[in-house]
Amino acid sequence: AEGSWADLDFALDAAHRAFLAWRTSQPQTRSALLHRFAERVEGNLADLAELLHLETGKPMPLAIRELERTVLT
């Protein structure tokens, strides 16, 4: 994929704004968001493992284990 310098600036600005919101959020809010993320990873494990396999060349069992560890962390 190709992107422009403007795309990079946009992405960096968005990441910075997200960080500012994250660092000022309450621990309970952070916890709830991380649990929600884990639930979504778990619910889409097969598809995410396939993407990880295709993107990195990892064997499927390794990709699945990596995602399972992500959910538990």
Side-chain angles (χ1 to χ4, degrees):
E2 291 186 30
S4 67
W5 287 108
D7 293 333
L8 176 61
D9 286 339
F10 179 80
L12 289 173
D13 185 54
H16 181 69
R17 283 184 279 118
F19 168 72
L20 293 176
W22 181 261
R23 89 173 168 185
T24 60
S25 65
Q26 296 295 317
Q28 299 87 347
T29 302
R30 293 181 193 185
S31 177
L33 288 169
L34 290 171
H35 280 90
R36 190 168 145 206
F37 172 77
E39 288 171 359
R40 289 191 174 191
V41 169
E42 192 171 33
N44 294 285
L45 193 85
D47 291 336
L48 291 170
E50 178 71 16
L51 288 172
L52 188 58
H53 164 71
L54 293 172
E55 186 176 276
T56 65
K58 289 183 179 189
M60 281 296 288
L62 184 59
I64 290 168
R65 279 197 303 274
E66 182 174 324
L67 291 166
E68 288 172 340
R69 283 194 310 267
T70 298
V71 169
L72 295 174
T73 305

